[in-house]
Amino acid sequence: MSGSREVLVLGGGQAGLAAGYYLRRAGLDYSILDAQSQPGGAWRHGWRSLRLFSPAEYSPLPGWGMPRQEGEAFPTAEHVVNYLRAYEHRYELRVHRPVRAHSVRAVGDELQVETSAGTWRARYVISATGTWERPYIPDLPGRDRFTGFQPHTVNYDSPEPFRGQRVVVVGGGNSAAQILAEVSQVADTTWVALRPPRFMPDDVDGRVLFGVATRHAEQGSPRGVSDVGDIVMVPSVRDARARGVLTAQPMFQRLTPGGVAWASGTELGCDAIIWCTGFQPNLAHLAPLGLSVADDRVPTVGTRSVDEPRLFLLGYGDWTGAASATLVGASRTAKATVAEISELLRA
């Protein structure tokens, strides 16, 4: 499998599909290469209880909104996967899978993409590979000496493996709060965060965040929705608050063979540490381009790379557009990106 296209999209998750919709509508010659074996992007790998923060109608991709899920105010990850699969089919998007992009390099007036299924070339490349494959765990002293279980969010599935154990949950965001909420029902939990968690008001969910992100986008602001807070008070998190488990301790300094220890000398024994410490952009395939990278970010103007103007980046976070790592945010940035590419091709 190989070929030459006007535009090549790397990644078939929500950002890649949004790009595909606008590329198809613009009549451009494109293909989407997805490393996954099935549609659904990172949503295929979320834990069992994972849900959207907002009703389905506030999480659309362009052209066709997400249908409501019967009996669920906030759609499950499985429902999102089914929506992405149906969306791909509805618009007959040109997705090739499983095809993993290994490297992107400049060759003449095109970009050459070496993949697990041959060599492709394109006038422009849209990188939309997300962050799921690069889980981040801080390199704290003693981490390799701890004898217990150390899963990251990416490995977490359900609270059952932790039943009856002493568990430390690390992180100050939504994943940490949601996982703490359910693990605390079967285990003795301690929540630890680098900074005091910031909770959104109880009446704030994806509907309000949608409005905030929209205002930022209209103002051309790179900010996301973090000024409202970091943690959405979904029902499970509100329940955890009512049970008195939603209190975070300061970050520990090191790990010991049997637990964690703070700078004060206080130690806590535990059987497991769940690292809900986020992800980093999956950009290894761009290394041959020699892009300048700072804080895991590629300098861009909008979504266009400063160093390689034939490269665009979608869906990695607020630095690629306000709320661009969300379904609705990916739609906005994809629309602007494809419009810019179309103009460049016409020129």
Side-chain angles (χ1 to χ4, degrees), residues 146 148-151 161-162 165-169 269-274:
F146 178 66
F149 186 30
Q150 291 191 67
F162 306 95
Q165 297 185 0
R166 297 169 299 169
V167 181
V168 173
V169 178
C270 63
D271 303 296
I273 301 171
I274 304 177

Side-chain angles (χ1 to χ4, degrees), residues 153-282:
T153 308
V154 74
N155 311 117
Y156 177 81
D157 181 61
S158 78
E160 283 308 311
F162 306 95
R163 183 174 292 276
Q165 297 185 0
R166 297 169 299 169
V167 181
V168 173
V169 178
V170 184
N174 285 294
S175 296
Q178 290 188 36
I179 289 174
L180 173 80
E182 61 181 27
V183 173
S184 63
Q185 298 183 64
V186 302
D188 178 9
T189 55
T190 299
W191 190 13
V192 176
L194 188 62
R195 292 176 293 274
R198 300 189 307 150
F199 302 101
M200 296 184 187
D202 285 9
D203 59 348
V204 170
D205 61 20
R207 287 167 285 201
V208 175
L209 302 181
F210 175 88
V212 172
T214 298
R215 288 195 296 275
H216 288 173
E218 291 172 347
Q219 296 165 2
S221 170
R223 293 159 53 202
V225 295
S226 61
D227 50 346
V228 184
D230 295 320
I231 297 174
V232 181
M233 300 303 291
V234 295
S236 64
V237 177
R238 292 201 301 269
D239 174 69
R241 182 181 60 192
R243 289 186 282 113
V245 299
L246 210 60
T247 302
Q249 305 298 320
M251 188 63 191
F252 49 82
Q253 185 185 54
R254 59 188 175 87
L255 284 71
T256 67
V260 298
W262 282 262
S264 63
T266 301
E267 295 191 17
L268 175 69
C270 63
D271 303 296
I273 301 171
I274 304 177
W275 298 96
C276 304
T277 44
F279 299 82
Q280 296 172 315
N282 182 17

Side-chain angles (χ1 to χ4, degrees), residues 18-272:
Y21 171 87
Y22 287 112
L23 289 165
R24 176 182 181 273
R25 194 171 74 167
L28 300 181
D29 180 28
Y30 76 95
S31 283
I32 301 171
L33 308 184
D34 187 25
Q36 301 279 335
S37 60
Q38 299 291 331
W43 289 98
R44 295 178 57 236
H45 308 292
W47 62 91
R48 295 183 194 181
S49 64
L50 179 62
R51 279 173 164 72
L52 283 173
F53 296 144
S54 57
E57 60 266 32
Y58 286 87
S59 298
L61 285 178
W64 179 49
M66 185 186 298
R68 281 184 169 270
Q69 183 177 7
E70 187 175 352
E72 299 285 353
F74 299 94
T76 63
E78 181 181 12
H79 183 73
V80 178
V81 170
N82 290 336
Y83 167 63
L84 296 179
R85 180 185 294 109
Y87 185 92
E88 190 175 307
H89 177 74
R90 181 186 185 97
Y91 293 109
E92 299 179 332
L93 299 180
R94 301 170 191 166
V95 183
H96 305 270
R97 64 167 59 90
V99 180
R100 179 174 294 277
H102 295 311
S103 65
V104 181
R105 64 186 74 246
V107 177
D109 60 356
E110 293 181 312
L111 293 178
Q112 179 174 292
V113 183
E114 298 291 343
T115 79
S116 58
T119 301
W120 297 69
R121 291 196 177 196
R123 296 280 302 279
Y124 295 93
V125 167
I126 298 175
S127 184
T129 51
T131 62
W132 187 260
E133 293 186 347
R134 286 198 66 201
Y136 170 73
I137 297 178
D139 189 20
L140 293 175
R143 189 160 66 86
D144 57 345
R145 297 174 57 221
F146 178 66
T147 58
F149 186 30
Q150 291 191 67
H152 184 274
T153 308
V154 74
N155 311 117
Y156 177 81
D157 181 61
S158 78
E160 283 308 311
F162 306 95
R163 183 174 292 276
Q165 297 185 0
R166 297 169 299 169
V167 181
V168 173
V169 178
V170 184
N174 285 294
S175 296
Q178 290 188 36
I179 289 174
L180 173 80
E182 61 181 27
V183 173
S184 63
Q185 298 183 64
V186 302
D188 178 9
T189 55
T190 299
W191 190 13
V192 176
L194 188 62
R195 292 176 293 274
R198 300 189 307 150
F199 302 101
M200 296 184 187
D202 285 9
D203 59 348
V204 170
D205 61 20
R207 287 167 285 201
V208 175
L209 302 181
F210 175 88
V212 172
T214 298
R215 288 195 296 275
H216 288 173
E218 291 172 347
Q219 296 165 2
S221 170
R223 293 159 53 202
V225 295
S226 61
D227 50 346
V228 184
D230 295 320
I231 297 174
V232 181
M233 300 303 291
V234 295
S236 64
V237 177
R238 292 201 301 269
D239 174 69
R241 182 181 60 192
R243 289 186 282 113
V245 299
L246 210 60
T247 302
Q249 305 298 320
M251 188 63 191
F252 49 82
Q253 185 185 54
R254 59 188 175 87
L255 284 71
T256 67
V260 298
W262 282 262
S264 63
T266 301
E267 295 191 17
L268 175 69
C270 63
D271 303 296

